[in-house]
């Protein structure tokens, strides 16, 4: 375990070094920082003096060394718009994004596993074919379109007038396909519980949960079909293994075979993909948070691009990269819990 942690820490440092180089390199392409700091009335001499004071005239290697030294100390600069340290701004917005990702992940876990297992056990059932068809459509639909449709159906409401209203059955069908809406589709709500000093949680109030529901469903919709199909494919492969046939020959109950022996070995590649997808979901929140105006780091990042808030953009890239590194390390640690025969070094026990 210790050797594995040392190895992963070394890899994490290397990855963060590469991310820091890329983040530092794109600063020049994002515009001149002096534009955001001074007005048009400042003279050229004052601009040049300010550039000298900020070290923008130093060699690129010196600038990166200063940037990396400050980053290691937790200083990624001050936001031009907020006038605060960028990490403080990100930490103010990060809880909203984490709760959105957690809610979407819970939906994916509790829906994909039973649906994927059922589709693998009974692949010819009409319900399995229905789930596979829906999952194919779900993978093809972009997350922002799903978000807009959810708002139209459950927030704004849709009135259907497809059938003749002068008949009883026609009016009943119109009412059946119409939606009243009423679900909140903007912001996080008002009734939030204060946790851990700065964390306002949506999980502990009814109003907060209602505001969380549609964004979480929208975010989960892009990953849920992928996990359903992945679990189904892996489960069907495991069910063809010799040890499963041996267990069936011994008369072990199908429930024990499917959910204890087969599912346990199915989850190892699922965890591998899941660890990467959790980090990707943080990136997908940009679209979801924009549509629902969810005040997380995704919406913050998009607004920072609009305002050319270069320090905040760079800090966001660094934090998201760190989230990816931590997530992948945790996934590797979970391997040993799911399958004890796999050592953390990658060799069989």
């Amino acid at each position: 375990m210790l050797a594995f942690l040392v190895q992963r820490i070394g890899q994490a440092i290397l990855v963060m070094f590469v991310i820091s180089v890329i983040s530092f390199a794109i600063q020049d392409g994002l515009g001149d920082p002096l534009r955001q700091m001074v007005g048009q009335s400042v003279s050229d001499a004052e601009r040049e003096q300010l550039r000298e004071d900020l070290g923008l005239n130093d060699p690129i290697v010196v600038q990166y060394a200063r940037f990396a030294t400050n980053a290691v100390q937790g200083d990624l600069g001050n936001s031009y718009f907020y006038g605060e340290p960028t990490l403080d701004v990100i930490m103010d917005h990060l809880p909203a994004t984490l709760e959105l990702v957690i809610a979407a992940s819970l939906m994916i876990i509790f829906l994909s596993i039973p649906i994927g297992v059922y589709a693998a056990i009974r692949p010819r059932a009409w319900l399995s074919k229905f789930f596979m068809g829906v999952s194919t459509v779900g993978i093809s639909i972009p997350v922002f379109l799903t978000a807009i449709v959810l708002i139209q159906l459950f927030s704004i409401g849709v009135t259907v007038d497809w059938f003749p209203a002068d008949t009883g059955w026609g009016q009943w069908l119109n009412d059946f396909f119409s939606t009243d809406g009423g679900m909140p589709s903007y912001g996080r709500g008002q009734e939030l519980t204060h946790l851990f000093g700065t964390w306002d949680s949506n999980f502990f109030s009814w109003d907060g949960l209602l505001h969380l529901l549609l964004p979480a469903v929208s975010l989960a919709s892009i990953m849920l079909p992928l996990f359903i199909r992945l679990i189904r494919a892996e489960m069907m492969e495991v069910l063809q293994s010799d040890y499963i046939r041996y267990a069936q020959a011994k008369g072990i109950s199908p429930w024990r075979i499917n959910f204890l022996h087969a599912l346990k070995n199915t989850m190892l590649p699922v965890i591998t993909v899941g660890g990467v997808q959790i980090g990707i979901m943080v990136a997908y929140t940009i679209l979801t948070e924009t549509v629902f105006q969810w005040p997380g780091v995704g919406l913050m990042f998009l607004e920072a691009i609009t305002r050319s808030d270069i320090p905040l953009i760079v800090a966001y890239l660094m934090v998201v990269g760190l989230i990816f590194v931590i997530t992948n390390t945790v996934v590797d640690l979970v391997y040993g819990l799911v399958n004890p025969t796999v050592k953390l070094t990658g060799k069989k026990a």
Side-chain angles (χ1 to χ4, degrees):
M1 175 68 74
L2 181 59
F4 169 77
L5 290 176
V6 172
Q7 179 183 3
R8 289 312 302 261
I9 290 174
Q11 294 175 355
I13 293 174
L14 178 60
V15 171
M16 292 307 301
F17 168 74
V18 174
I19 293 175
S20 68
V21 171
I22 296 174
S23 301
F24 176 78
I26 66 174
Q27 292 186 82
D28 291 337
L30 296 175
D32 188 355
L34 291 182
R35 279 180 155 183
Q36 306 298 323
M37 300 175 65
V38 299
Q40 297 293 331
S41 59
V42 178
S43 65
D44 293 339
E46 291 174 327
R47 287 175 181 270
E48 186 61 29
Q49 182 60 44
L50 183 58
R51 182 179 294 275
E52 186 69 28
D53 294 340
L54 293 175
L56 298 178
N57 293 330
D58 295 337
I60 191 69
V61 177
V62 175
Q63 293 186 44
Y64 173 75
R66 182 168 55 246
F67 167 80
T69 301
N70 293 335
V72 171
Q73 297 173 357
D75 181 10
L76 294 175
N78 291 336
S79 169
Y80 296 152
F81 178 78
Y82 293 95
E84 301 175 1
T86 54
L87 286 182
D88 292 344
V89 176
I90 291 176
M91 293 307 298
D92 289 339
H93 292 80
L94 188 59
T97 296
L98 291 180
E99 288 203 348
L100 184 57
V101 171
I102 290 172
S105 300
L106 291 176
M107 292 180 182
I108 293 172
I109 292 172
F110 288 108
L111 289 176
S112 64
I113 293 178
I115 293 175
V117 171
Y118 176 83
I121 295 174
R122 299 188 177 181
R124 299 185 181 276
W126 69 268
L127 190 57
S128 298
K129 295 179 181 179
F130 170 77
F131 286 138
M132 290 301 101
V134 171
S135 65
T136 301
V137 175
I139 292 176
S140 307
I141 299 178
V143 63
F144 68 87
L145 181 59
T146 302
I148 294 174
V149 171
L150 289 176
I151 292 175
Q152 289 287 337
L153 291 178
F154 299 105
S155 181
I156 299 176
V158 176
T159 301
V160 172
D161 192 19
W162 298 339
F163 305 96
D166 55 349
T167 61
W169 63 269
Q171 185 61 43
W172 182 87
L173 288 175
N174 287 333
D175 294 339
F176 179 79
F177 288 106
S178 299
T179 59
D180 295 331
M183 288 289 294
S185 62
Y186 178 86
R188 297 184 67 189
Q190 299 297 325
E191 301 177 5
L192 304 177
T193 302
H194 204 58
L195 298 175
F196 309 118
T198 59
W199 190 311
D200 291 332
S201 176
N202 282 66
F203 287 126
F204 300 99
S205 67
W206 178 248
D207 183 68
L209 289 173
L210 288 179
H211 280 80
L212 181 63
L213 182 59
L214 291 185
V217 171
S218 175
L219 184 60
S221 65
I222 195 66
M223 299 296 176
L224 180 60
L226 171 65
F227 279 87
I228 290 176
R229 300 180 72 86
L230 177 61
I231 292 174
R232 175 182 178 271
E234 293 294 334
M235 186 78 173
M236 292 183 68
E237 182 178 352
V238 171
L239 289 175
Q240 301 301 319
S241 303
D242 292 337
Y243 75 93
I244 295 295
R245 297 181 183 276
Y246 179 72
Q248 293 172 343
K250 289 182 63 177
I252 299 177
S253 64
W255 184 91
R256 185 177 180 85
I257 293 175
N258 294 329
F259 290 95
L260 183 61
H261 299 287
L263 182 60
K264 185 175 181 180
N265 291 281
T266 298
M267 295 308 295
L268 193 59
V270 174
I271 292 174
T272 305
V273 177
V276 177
Q277 296 302 322
I278 289 176
I280 293 177
M281 274 203 295
V282 175
Y284 272 116
T285 57
I286 294 177
L287 298 175
T288 305
E289 291 178 3
T290 301
V291 175
F292 290 98
Q293 288 298 288
W294 188 263
V297 293
L299 182 61
M300 178 212 70
F301 176 67
L302 195 62
E303 292 175 345
I305 294 177
T306 304
R307 299 168 180 146
S308 297
D309 197 339
I310 298 174
L312 192 55
I313 295 173
V314 173
Y316 171 85
L317 297 176
M318 296 283 288
V319 171
V320 171
L322 182 62
I323 291 175
F324 268 94
V325 170
I326 294 175
T327 302
N328 290 332
T329 303
V330 172
V331 168
D332 286 341
L333 292 174
V334 173
Y335 281 168
L337 299 177
V338 176
N339 190 350
T341 63
V342 177
K343 289 186 175 181
L344 295 178
T345 56
K347 300 178 181 179
K348 290 289 184 179

